[in-house]
Amino acid sequence: MGKATTTTRTPPFCQSKFLCLSLLYLFTALFLAFYHKVSPNNCLFRSSPFDPIQSPLFHYPPSYGEHKYAITTHRNSCSSPVMFSGYREVAEELHNLCKNSSAFVPDLKYLQGKRDTFGGNFSFKERISYFNDTKNDINVPCGFLKEFPVGDSDRIAMESCNGVVVASAIFNDHDKIRQPVGLGSKTLEITCFFVFIDDITLQGLYYHKLIPQSSPDYKVGVWRIVKVFSDELYGNPAMNGVIPKYLVHRLFPNSKFSIWIDAKLQLTVDPLLLIHSLVVSKNADMAISKHPYYVHTMEEAMATARWRKWSDINSLTRQMETYCENGLQPWTIDKHPYTTGFTLINPDRLASHTCPWWCIDLERTWTEKQSLLVPLFNELEAFNPRDQLGFAFVRDKMNPKLKLNMFEVEVFEKIVVEYRHNLKKIGDNRAGSVRVGPKRTKRASHGHFFLNESRCQNYLLTMWGESHS
């Protein structure tokens, strides 16, 4: 008898090619929809240039609310306006750069002595005489004419930072401490994070039990907390924050690169990748963001006056009149490669026009870049801590010129998340505290900059395209 043959029957639903393709399409669509839902940036298969991402660096108590009130953006989060090299190659390159200390030799000598204020409060004639630092035998005023009041252990830690330093500051409990995300596995080996605070902010950290009151050295995640005895400095908390913002090369004399980040920002890209992409690969001394709204310094000055961002309007007017009288001009095509009259660190971000956004600032902590930040710090002490206002004047007058990489606002929004400032101080929740209602904002009148006898009249007419000269 012959053998019985058995045949394997194909399931009926697999015999239809159309049905198979439909099922494949259905399952693929469901997978992509699920991935899109759970992806933190809502992007499909977007590779991160700064992998590996480490586990959470710190666990905050729910009462702190470190991620409340983020400012949303309407830009495409899946397309990247900035390109990053491979993390391992970047980490190795920067590690070798930081080891080669001979390439980082400061070329400025600083004025020593004692004055009534930390910066010396020099006259305009004295300040402008230091804008040209081609003579290496001149001792330049650069703050520290009073002691910077921090503890000895903090000072030693600051001087021991010999690679990349990321610095920030919170005075008057104005912001929250936020951990960076996307750090690579080698980053903390050559990068130190420092945040400067005053006693009011320190009490808030105690209140939320972020740090123990028994320890003389404080740390929250990657951030080392440095308490500044601000009563010995300036009465204005914003001016005290200017010191670590502009004089980071004095506070961290052995660091090779620095990143300043306003405390209302959370860093979302590894700092080594940022330094490499925005400074090293561009052969720049400093990288700062363009202002998101303004091109001209006077636009920022008028907004500052109108919205009372600085209460002394007469002093603000005197500042701009002084700059106009001594040659401040609106931005024009002749000012390339500077794309605006601003620079970087805000109203709350970065900027790169004649008017910048000083919220985030990346730089080499050596050579020519100091010759911009040093005189700019002196201008801030002389007038006010609104750092966009003096930038274009100092930048255009100083010699030698800086190599500035002024990047687009889209880059700023890609590398940080911006949050609103604290609206309610910690003390408002305590028993017996008295909360003072907000003051009504008084806007400045147009007359502050529109008078016929104003020294800024030609500036304004040129800015508005109405000059006939």
Side-chain angles (χ1 to χ4, degrees):
M1 295 183 63
K3 284 187 177 181
T5 59
T6 58
T7 58
T8 304
R9 296 179 60 84
T10 304
F13 69 86
C14 291
Q15 295 178 9
S16 171
K17 292 183 179 179
F18 177 76
L19 180 59
C20 290
L21 292 176
S22 298
L23 290 174
L24 178 62
Y25 176 82
L26 175 62
F27 288 124
T28 302
L30 289 174
F31 171 77
L32 293 178
F34 175 76
Y35 183 88
H36 184 269
K37 181 69 175 178
V38 300
S39 174
N41 49 29
N42 292 332
C43 298
L44 299 179
F45 304 112
R46 178 171 177 254
S47 60
S48 172
F50 37 88
D51 285 334
I53 297 177
Q54 297 179 336
S55 58
L57 301 168
F58 189 79
H59 293 281
Y60 290 91
S63 62
Y64 192 62
E66 75 281 4
H67 290 148
K68 285 185 177 180
Y69 311 118
I71 298 177
T72 59
T73 63
H74 302 285
R75 305 184 191 277
N76 185 355
S77 62
C78 296
S79 61
S80 179
V82 58
M83 299 302 296
F84 300 107
S85 300
Y87 173 77
R88 293 187 180 277
E89 293 78 9
V90 167
E92 182 178 358
E93 180 178 350
L94 288 183
H95 178 75
N96 292 334
L97 277 175
C98 292
K99 284 174 55 179
N100 183 17
S101 58
S102 62
F104 299 87
V105 180
D107 59 356
L108 291 181
K109 292 184 290 186
Y110 302 115
L111 186 67
Q112 307 294 323
K114 298 293 183 181
R115 303 278 289 223
D116 293 336
T117 67
F118 181 82
N121 197 21
F122 292 90
S123 68
F124 179 76
K125 184 177 181 181
E126 290 174 315
R127 298 195 308 273
I128 201 171
S129 68
Y130 294 105
F131 280 18
N132 187 332
D133 72 343
T134 55
K135 299 178 180 179
N136 292 329
D137 58 339
I138 296 178
N139 294 326
V140 179
C142 181
F144 294 89
L145 298 177
K146 290 179 66 175
E147 184 180 4
F148 188 65
V150 298
D152 291 339
S153 60
D154 290 325
R155 198 182 307 277
I156 292 173
M158 291 154 59
E159 293 176 355
S160 300
C161 182
N162 54 15
V164 177
V165 58
V166 181
S168 187
I170 305 174
F171 288 92
N172 204 30
D173 193 32
H174 204 47
D175 293 286
K176 300 185 184 301
I177 298 176
R178 299 179 174 92
Q179 301 302 316
V181 297
L183 296 186
S185 56
K186 302 292 185 181
T187 298
L188 294 180
E189 296 179 9
I190 59 173
T191 306
C192 22
F193 292 78
F194 283 81
V195 58
F196 297 85
I197 67 171
D198 59 1
D199 187 65
I200 295 177
T201 308
L202 181 62
Q203 295 306 315
L205 300 182
Y206 287 154
Y207 178 81
H208 287 290
K209 297 181 172 56
L210 265 66
I211 55 177
Q213 299 191 33
S214 58
S215 174
D217 297 328
Y218 313 110
K219 202 164 187 185
V220 177
V222 299
W223 294 100
R224 182 182 176 109
I225 312 299
V226 178
K227 180 186 175 182
V228 180
F229 298 91
S230 56
D231 291 344
E232 303 176 26
L233 292 172
Y234 298 101
N236 188 315
M239 191 61 210
N240 289 328
V242 162
I243 297 173
K245 191 174 189 177
Y246 286 89
L247 304 183
V248 64
H249 58 285
R250 297 290 308 273
L251 295 173
F252 301 90
N254 297 313
S255 65
K256 309 307 187 297
F257 298 94
S258 66
I259 297 177
W260 168 267
I261 180 167
D262 274 9
K264 69 177 184 177
L265 305 179
Q266 180 186 28
L267 199 61
T268 59
V269 175
D270 187 281
L272 301 185
L273 293 176
L274 287 179
I275 288 289
H276 186 271
S277 177
L278 300 177
V279 177
V280 175
S281 66
K282 302 293 184 181
N283 193 28
D285 297 309
M286 178 188 295
I288 54 179
S289 166
K290 295 180 181 179
H291 199 286
Y293 309 116
Y294 306 133
V295 172
H296 304 289
T297 301
M298 191 61 70
E299 292 177 297
E300 173 66 17
M302 294 169 68
T304 300
R306 182 173 180 81
W307 298 106
R308 302 287 288 191
K309 296 179 181 180
W310 180 250
S311 58
D312 190 348
I313 301 299
N314 291 330
S315 172
L316 177 65
T317 304
R318 186 166 59 253
Q319 177 184 14
M320 301 315 300
E321 295 279 340
T322 299
Y323 291 159
C324 290
E325 183 181 17
N326 287 275
L328 178 66
Q329 296 294 325
W331 181 84
T332 65
I333 194 67
D334 297 332
K335 288 194 176 184
H336 270 301
Y338 306 127
T339 54
T340 70
F342 280 113
T343 51
L344 137 109
I345 301 175
N346 156 317
D348 290 348
R349 300 190 180 188
L350 315 142
S352 69
H353 297 9
T354 287
C355 184
W357 215 219
W358 281 106
C359 286
I360 184 168
D361 164 25
L362 306 93
E363 60 209 22
R364 303 174 189 261
T365 50
W366 55 282
T367 66
E368 291 92 348
K369 81 92 186 171
Q370 297 172 13
S371 63
L372 171 66
L373 296 190
V374 169
L376 189 51
F377 169 80
N378 294 329
E379 292 303 301
L380 299 181
E381 189 200 48
F383 290 110
N384 59 72
R386 301 297 301 175
D387 38 18
Q388 297 95 329
L389 301 181
F391 170 79
F393 180 78
V394 173
R395 181 199 62 194
D396 293 346
K397 291 290 185 180
M398 61 172 284
N399 187 31
K401 300 299 182 184
L402 275 184
K403 296 177 181 177
L404 288 178
N405 172 23
M406 300 181 94
F407 51 85
E408 300 294 334
V409 179
E410 289 83 355
V411 175
F412 168 85
E413 295 181 340
K414 181 62 61 175
I415 63 180
V416 297
V417 176
E418 182 178 358
Y419 294 85
R420 300 188 187 279
H421 293 300
N422 290 343
L423 299 179
K424 183 167 66 174
K425 306 303 184 208
I426 296 303
D428 295 339
N429 294 328
R430 295 174 184 161
S433 64
V434 178
R435 188 175 183 184
V436 180
K439 294 182 179 179
R440 184 177 180 181
T441 299
K442 178 182 178 182
R443 299 179 184 178
S445 66
H446 288 175
H448 283 95
F449 294 111
F450 289 70
L451 297 175
N452 290 332
E453 62 270 19
S454 171
R455 299 180 182 92
C456 293
Q457 185 181 36
N458 289 336
Y459 183 111
L460 293 169
L461 291 175
T462 303
M463 183 177 74
W464 293 322
E466 299 177 7
S467 176
H468 301 292
S469 58

